[in-house]
């Protein structure tokens, strides 16, 4: 699904990530950890071709990202769902319309029943008409997850999805992520939350990647 060969990433001549080699197989579940500023968000941005690597080779779905044109990237974005750290809602649009937004962007018709089912799955059936600022942090994260999966992506990337949530809400979100993985989706979650990782490992064979000193490491089983 995602394959890196000696990938490097620099901002303005400063190398943030170096020599990262990794294969993320279809259906795998990975956490991405590392100190704040280590490059977790940057790594995720590489994985949905928001950023291009400054060195090495990055293949997404078997295609070198450097060979992708604008249309290819638009197609690729439909196969990679992203839950951004700040959710990125349009605050003047009701939740339902925010969640459905990727459909209209992709030129696909909205199936009201499908949308209703999706909101029900994340436990927000009753909040369809609410505006994003009226939702709690946990509700916003679950809404962002619904929006990220509405185009049935193969890969789901989530950036600190439980960053502002209490433990109960974190577990609720984790349950949804595990369900997606059990449906065959490849899941990558950037997080600082070791308890979340432990809870996930009790449910799925999750692996832990760590960015440290610009390199990507596969963490041991001691977490
Ligand atoms: P993390 O998600 O692990 O906290 P980030 O990937 O967000 O790390 O950022 C890593 C470092 O790269 C930070 O020091 C950040 O300021 C820097 N950085 C991120 N995006 C840019 C950018 N567009 N231009 C320059 N520096 C950036
Ligand atoms: P996060 O909070 O997800 O770790 P950041 O704070 O690193 O994200 O980045 C937020 C936005 O600002 C991103 O689009 C990133 O590319 C940009 N950014 C971060 N640091 C810098 C920087 N030093 N210079 C320019 N842009 C940056």
């Amino acid at each position: 699904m995602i394959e890196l060969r000696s990938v490097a990433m620099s901002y303005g001549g400063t190398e943030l990530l170096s020599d990262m080699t990794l294969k993320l197989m279809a259906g795998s579940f990975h956490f991405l950890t590392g100190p704040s500023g280590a490059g977790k968000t940057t790594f995720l941005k590489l994985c949905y071709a928001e950023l291009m690597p400054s060195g090495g080779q990055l293949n997404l779905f078997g295609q070198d990202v450097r060979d992708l044109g604008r249309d290819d990237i638009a197609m690729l974005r439909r196969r990679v769902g992203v839950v951004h750290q700040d959710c990125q809602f349009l605050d003047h649009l009701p939740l339902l319309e925010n969640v459905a937004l990727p459909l209209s962007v992709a030129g696909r018709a909205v199936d009201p029943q499908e949308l209703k089912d999706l909101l029900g799955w994340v436990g927000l059936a009753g909040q369809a008409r609410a505006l994003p600022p009226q939702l709690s942090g946990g509700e916003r994260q679950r809404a962002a997850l619904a929006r990220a999966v509405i185009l049935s992506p193969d890969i789901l990337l989530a950036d600190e999805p439980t960053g502002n949530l209490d433990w109960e809400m974190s577990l609720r979100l984790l349950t949804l992520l595990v369900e997606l993985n059990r449906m065959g989706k490849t899941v990558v979650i950037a997080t600082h939350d070791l308890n979340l990782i432990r809870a996930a490992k009790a449910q799925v064979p999750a692996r832990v990647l760590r960015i440290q000193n610009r390199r990507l490491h596969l963490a041991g089983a001691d977490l």
Side-chain angles (χ1 to χ4, degrees), residues 41 45 85 159:
T41 299
K45 284 179 179 172
Q85 201 164 23
D159 197 352

Side-chain angles (χ1 to χ4, degrees), residues 29 31 33 162 167 170-171 174 178 189 191-208 220-223:
F29 196 118
F31 286 99
T33 64
T162 62
W167 180 237
S170 300
L171 281 182
L174 177 66
V178 168
I189 305 170
T191 187
H192 283 107
D193 189 345
L194 296 186
N195 287 323
L196 188 76
I197 296 176
R198 285 193 197 99
K201 283 185 149 194
Q203 301 176 54
V204 285
R207 305 187 79 180
V208 180
D222 54 331
L223 267 162

